[in-house]
């Protein structure tokens, strides 16, 4: 079946530094990838939609200069949290979609970011 | 604006009891609705979608446009059904999903 991986699974960084999270579709080509943020005991909040070779579309209220998304290939999207602050600490989840007309998304295992 | 409401944070039932996880939505267009499940320490995975009208692991969900609901049901709960369940609404255009807040189902022996 369709598998999506994320790396790293958890990361601790200091305030002011940047951290990159990778999302890979392992056995299919993902025309679209999505990045979500999940706070403890809360739902997934869509941050942005990323299409291969084009700029990401950010949801309202999400700072595009802070959360840089790159979708350079059909199997890889990256989320870079720039100048991280403790309030950026969260669980970040990516998902990937194979076809343009499909809603079905395959989710990664998530990355836990802790900013100290 | 699209919205998905799951009114119950926690639903606790005994094994063999019927289960109904509620989901209501608001959307001006033609909705596409999904149920996702997250078992302990596992990633989110699709359980079922309304257009398939299928039964997965004994679960069914019927879209009721009049009541704008998409409740998830199972006649006899099993312990292995214990998980977090999310209702999601498909957003046209970018085909993104809007998730509800989730309901934790606990099936007690």
């Amino acid at each position: 079946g369709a598998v999506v991986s994320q790396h790293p699974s958890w990361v601790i960084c200091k305030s002011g530094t940047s951290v990159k999270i990778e999302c890979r579709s392992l056995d299919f080509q993902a025309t679209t990838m999505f990045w979500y943020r999940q706070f403890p005991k809360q739902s997934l909040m869509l941050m942005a939609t990323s299409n291969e070779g084009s700029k990401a579309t950010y949801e309202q209220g999400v700072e595009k200069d802070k959360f840089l998304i790159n979708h350079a290939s059909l199997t890889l999207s990256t989320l870079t949290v720039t100048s991280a602050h403790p309030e950026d600490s969260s669980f970040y989840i990516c998902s990937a979609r194979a076809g343009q007309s499909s809603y079905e998304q395959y989710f990664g295992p998530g990355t836990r970011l802790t900013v100290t | 604006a699209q919205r998905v409401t799951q009114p119950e944070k926690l639903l606790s039932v005994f094994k063999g009891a019927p289960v109904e996880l509620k989901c209501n939505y608001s959307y001006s267009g033609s909705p596409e609705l999904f149920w996702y499940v997250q078992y302990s320490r596992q990633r989110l995975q699709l359980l079922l979608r309304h257009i398939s009208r299928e039964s997965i692991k004994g679960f069914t969900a019927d879209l009721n446009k009049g009541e704008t609901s998409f409740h998830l049901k199972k006649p006899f709960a099993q312990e292995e059904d214990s998980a977090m369940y999310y209702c999601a609404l498909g957003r046209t255009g970018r085909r993104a999903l809007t998730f509800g807040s989730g309901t934790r189902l606990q099936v007690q022996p």
Side-chain angles (χ1 to χ4, degrees):
Chain A
V3 179
V4 175
S5 70
Q6 278 183 244
H7 177 80
S9 55
W10 60 271
V11 58
I12 301 173
C13 70
K14 293 186 177 181
S15 287
T17 62
S18 295
V19 61
K20 181 185 286 186
I21 301 170
E22 291 186 349
C23 177
R24 292 182 185 272
S25 56
L26 298 184
D27 50 2
F28 67 101
Q29 292 185 327
T31 53
T32 306
M33 289 184 171
F34 302 89
W35 287 95
Y36 295 86
R37 184 172 178 176
Q38 187 177 32
F39 292 101
K41 298 185 179 181
Q42 294 190 32
S43 187
L44 286 79
M45 182 193 77
L46 179 66
M47 299 175 65
T49 304
S50 156
N51 289 298
E52 185 264 338
S54 61
K55 289 184 178 180
T57 303
Y58 290 81
E59 295 299 299
Q60 194 172 11
V62 178
E63 298 177 61
K64 61 181 180 181
D65 293 330
K66 180 165 187 61
F67 298 100
L68 300 178
I69 291 172
N70 184 282
H71 193 159
S73 76
L74 285 172
T75 59
L76 173 64
S77 176
T78 60
L79 167 68
T80 301
V81 183
T82 62
S83 187
H85 290 281
E87 56 264 32
D88 298 326
S89 298
S90 193
F91 198 56
Y92 293 89
I93 302 172
C94 76
S95 69
R97 189 180 73 205
Q100 291 284 8
S101 62
S102 171
Y103 278 102
E104 186 161 359
Q105 298 178 24
Y106 302 96
F107 285 81
T111 296
R112 181 159 302 285
L113 170 64
T114 301
V115 184
T116 61
Chain B
Q2 295 180 316
R3 177 174 284 185
V4 178
T5 303
Q6 293 180 251
E8 304 141 325
K9 287 189 175 181
L10 172 66
L11 182 63
S12 184
V13 301
F14 287 103
K15 178 182 174 182
V19 170
E20 183 179 52
L21 289 83
K22 291 182 168 46
C23 172
N24 288 90
Y25 67 91
S26 63
Y27 181 53
S28 57
S30 183
E32 292 211 32
L33 286 143
F34 307 82
W35 277 99
Y36 280 81
V37 61
Q38 189 171 29
Y39 300 102
S40 179
R41 298 182 183 180
Q42 294 187 28
R43 68 189 68 195
L44 207 63
Q45 56 185 288
L46 178 66
L47 180 62
L48 54 79
R49 68 201 85 182
H50 92 269
I51 57 173
S52 299
R53 303 182 70 83
E54 57 200 345
S55 174
I56 303 295
K57 299 183 179 181
F59 284 97
T60 59
D62 291 319
L63 177 61
N64 185 322
K65 292 186 178 181
E67 296 182 358
T68 60
S69 68
F70 188 57
H71 303 327
L72 184 67
K73 300 177 183 179
K74 185 170 183 177
F76 308 103
Q78 303 298 314
E79 290 182 67
E80 55 265 30
D81 296 328
S82 296
M84 195 75 180
Y85 291 81
Y86 293 95
C87 182
L89 173 64
R91 193 185 309 184
T92 56
R94 281 183 285 135
R95 301 273 172 177
L97 295 172
T98 299
F99 284 86
S101 54
T103 298
R104 181 167 297 282
L105 174 64
Q106 284 183 349
V107 181
Q108 300 181 51

